[in-house]
Amino acid sequence: MRLKDKVAVITGGAQGIGRAIALGMAREGAKIVVADLQGEKANSVANEIKALGHGALAVEVNVASESSVKHLAKTTFDCFGRIDILVNDAGIYLKSSVVDMTEADWDRTHDINLGGNFLCCRAFVPAMRAQKSGRIISMASGIGYYGMKQFSHYAASKAAIIGFVKALARELGPDGITVNAICPGSANTAMPRGHRTEEEVMQRLHSTPLPHVLEPEDIAGPILFLASDAASYITGQAYNVNCGTYMV
Amino acid sequence: MSQVALISGGGGGIGGAAAHKMAAAGMTVVIADFDHAAAETVRGEIASAGGKADALSVDVTQTREVKALVIDVASRYGRIDVLANIAGGSMYTKRMEEFTWAEWKQVIDANLKGTFLMCREVAPIMQKQKSGRILNTASNYGVTGSALRTPYSAAKAGIIAFTKSLALELAPDGILVNTVAPGPTDTPRVLEKESAEARNRRWSSIPLGRTGKPEDLAEMYYFLTTPESAAITGQTFHVNGGVVMP
């Protein structure tokens, strides 16, 4: 078990990729805090983990709210006493052309996708610094590199996460904390189905160079690797997991 | 039957560490190296630890030797699941205008052409299997460049683009092709020229505060052979303590 007795907080852990990460880390021996805006769904993932015989806690959180993130950190420390791994997976994916975009949608995207990274890191980094170890893994996106029409706010927020990760990696390297990003391609989750027909989603999933449908578990695997001791010399990187769709 | 991994440059340094890691994970490892004695040493270490390994000689710049190597491996095991192209090196540190044509070609061939020749011989075997993992080796210098290492930097940048192209060619057959890009790594060959202390001083800007160990790189090569990396192809994985963040 690669993550035995580690404590991992996974924002956006109630569904899709976040849920796969939570279950994957639990199977590797970590205690999991499933942090999500959808409290009930977070509860059911935490129960799923407990049923497998592992420690888990569900916390309802809005990662764009300072007080809510403070509550997440306090609950985590009260329950498990420490944090070893922070996975910033919470995010939203709104659709709008630039000219039709409301300021509210722009702000919401950046507050949650980018601001959530900042607030969660700020809340958990002091404890990692004190113990001179920690792993932070943030979810960026291939769209942060290649852009996508009608998703300019999302693309900008994901590219910004990559810049944030690199800067934070430089800040925290001397304390033995690594900070990396994973950039998934289009995955077989609920998120892309919010804006596309089932046919469009399947067409995208099957049009990758590699004849392999990108599943949440495919994203979770590299994240488990980055969280493990095997990746102790890796920081400031943004690794693409996309069946060959885009090669940086 | 265990997976078969062919590792060029497996006789020491990063290649040796990768051989040890893959053998410890249960793979049958074929250590191919220009230096047969070095390959034999790693083979012996793996065998005494209970692993399975062969040691074979190869000069990866020579078509005939590469062909003979791959035929030999295929006839012994009937398959090749992993090809790790780790042979190579910078060889010279001097100004571009001081490089002879022969020296230039030597560096390009040992790194870039050797990778091509090995892939050309192994890919058809993987295509028949409809599976395989090819792991090439670049360098942070392939992205940043390095004064006094023009052919090496060019070759390593070439390997990154070669990897992407080959990944697209082999994807329909379910074969994954990726590159590992080491940063400053304390291999025996490097430490012969510079002490670990001097290197740590020179590389004091590394965010994680130390130079790399061959074992750090071996973990990445191994990860890229596992089911956890099944959706990753055409990518470059920098393992460098944060000294380069492309």
Side-chain angles (χ1 to χ4, degrees):
Chain A
M1 294 223 275
R2 290 176 291 177
L3 305 177
K4 193 163 168 29
D5 297 330
K6 304 279 188 194
V7 174
V9 173
I10 296 143
T11 71
Q15 63 181 14
I17 292 169
R19 176 177 168 275
I21 298 165
L23 287 166
M25 288 194 174
R27 287 191 200 100
E28 292 289 345
K31 295 166 191 158
I32 308 295
V33 179
V34 184
D36 205 291
L37 190 61
Q38 305 178 83
E40 273 186 31
K41 280 190 179 176
N43 255 324
S44 86
V45 173
N47 288 335
E48 213 176 330
I49 292 169
K50 285 180 198 162
L52 294 169
H54 306 293
L57 168 74
V59 181
E60 188 173 316
V61 67
N62 172 6
V63 294
S65 152
E66 277 193 281
S67 59
S68 183
V69 171
K70 271 186 189 162
H71 172 255
L72 167 65
K74 184 176 184 310
T75 313
T76 299
F77 296 130
D78 286 350
C79 183
F80 292 124
R82 60 185 288 127
I83 170 130
D84 300 287
I85 300 158
L86 169 64
V87 180
N88 294 302
D89 177 57
I92 56 165
Y93 183 61
L94 306 175
K95 181 178 183 179
S96 172
S97 65
V98 170
V99 291
D100 295 327
M101 193 180 297
T102 64
E103 193 177 337
D105 273 3
W106 173 269
D107 286 344
R108 206 169 142 227
T109 297
H110 287 279
D111 287 354
I112 294 170
N113 293 5
L114 178 60
N117 263 265
F118 161 65
L119 290 177
C120 289
C121 289
R122 198 180 61 175
F124 286 107
V125 158
M128 290 182 174
R129 270 202 159 127
Q131 71 200 19
K132 293 278 176 198
S133 70
R135 298 295 165 89
I136 298 171
I137 302 149
S138 293
M139 201 61 69
S141 166
I143 293 172
Y145 280 110
Y146 54 77
M148 181 167 282
K149 65 181 180 181
Q150 297 185 306
F151 292 94
S152 59
H153 41 2
Y154 181 80
S157 73
K158 292 299 185 178
I161 286 171
I162 295 171
F164 176 72
V165 158
K166 292 178 182 179
L168 191 61
R170 294 183 191 282
E171 277 188 32
L172 302 183
D175 294 303
I177 301 163
T178 69
V179 190
N180 293 289
I182 288 288
C183 307
S186 188
N188 191 16
T189 64
M191 198 179 238
R193 289 178 164 86
H195 304 295
R196 297 185 179 90
T197 65
E198 189 60 23
E199 194 185 347
E200 285 169 341
V201 169
M202 293 318 285
Q203 198 272 333
R204 271 169 65 84
L205 288 173
H206 285 283
S207 63
T208 55
L210 202 65
H212 178 102
V213 171
L214 191 65
E215 298 290 349
E217 291 72 21
D218 292 317
I219 313 296
I223 289 172
L224 295 186
F225 171 70
L226 286 173
S228 74
D229 287 345
S232 63
Y233 198 56
I234 298 169
T235 198
Q237 307 302 322
Y239 289 156
N240 282 274
V241 182
N242 59 24
C243 298
T245 306
Y246 185 72
M247 300 170 180
V248 179
Chain B
M1 186 187 168
S2 70
Q3 289 205 310
V4 177
L6 171 57
I7 304 177
S8 82
I14 294 168
H20 277 287
K21 177 74 192 175
M22 290 184 200
M27 293 187 198
T28 299
V29 175
V30 181
I31 302 151
D33 205 291
F34 187 76
D35 181 344
H36 186 72
E40 189 54 44
T41 300
V42 175
R43 187 205 64 75
E45 289 165 358
I46 289 172
S48 55
K52 284 177 282 183
D54 267 337
L56 298 172
S57 298
V58 70
D59 177 347
V60 295
T61 69
Q62 301 301 312
T63 302
R64 197 184 304 170
E65 289 197 28
V66 171
K67 277 183 190 288
L69 168 74
V70 174
I71 288 169
D72 189 358
V73 175
S75 68
R76 285 176 196 225
Y77 298 107
R79 58 185 300 116
I80 299 176
D81 300 285
V82 175
L83 168 63
N85 290 305
I86 307 181
S90 59
M91 298 179 185
Y92 303 98
T93 47
K94 57 181 176 177
R95 295 177 65 83
M96 187 274 291
E97 60 271 30
E98 291 163 2
F99 270 94
T100 67
W101 175 228
E103 288 166 345
W104 173 274
K105 281 175 72 74
Q106 186 189 5
V107 179
I108 298 292
D109 287 2
N111 292 283
L112 183 54
K113 184 179 174 184
T115 300
F116 156 64
L117 291 178
M118 292 287 284
C119 289
R120 193 179 63 175
E121 298 311 315
V122 171
I125 295 169
M126 293 181 168
Q127 283 175 305
K128 273 190 206 139
Q129 295 166 183
K130 293 280 175 197
S131 71
R133 304 287 178 101
I134 295 176
L135 318 174
N136 295 328
T137 304
S139 161
N140 55 329
Y141 293 151
V143 175
T144 63
S146 172
L148 311 183
R149 292 184 186 86
T150 45
Y152 182 67
S153 303
K156 292 304 192 183
I159 286 171
I160 293 172
F162 174 78
T163 295
K164 294 177 186 180
S165 304
L166 188 63
L168 291 170
E169 285 186 25
L170 298 182
D173 294 306
I175 300 163
L176 311 182
V177 191
N178 291 290
T179 296
V180 177
T185 308
D186 298 337
T187 63
R189 191 165 62 194
V190 165
L191 293 177
E192 273 175 19
K193 296 179 195 157
E194 190 177 23
S195 72
E197 276 178 2
R199 282 174 60 69
N200 277 323
R201 271 198 305 278
R202 183 155 73 92
W203 292 105
S204 60
S205 62
I206 295 175
L208 285 179
R210 66 171 175 91
T211 47
K213 301 187 294 283
E215 291 74 19
D216 295 319
L217 277 302
E219 296 287 357
M220 179 53 87
Y221 285 98
Y222 174 65
F223 168 69
L224 291 171
T225 72
T226 64
E228 284 193 331
S229 57
I232 299 175
T233 196
Q235 308 299 332
T236 304
F237 292 88
H238 290 265
V239 179
N240 59 28
V243 75
V244 174
M245 302 176 183

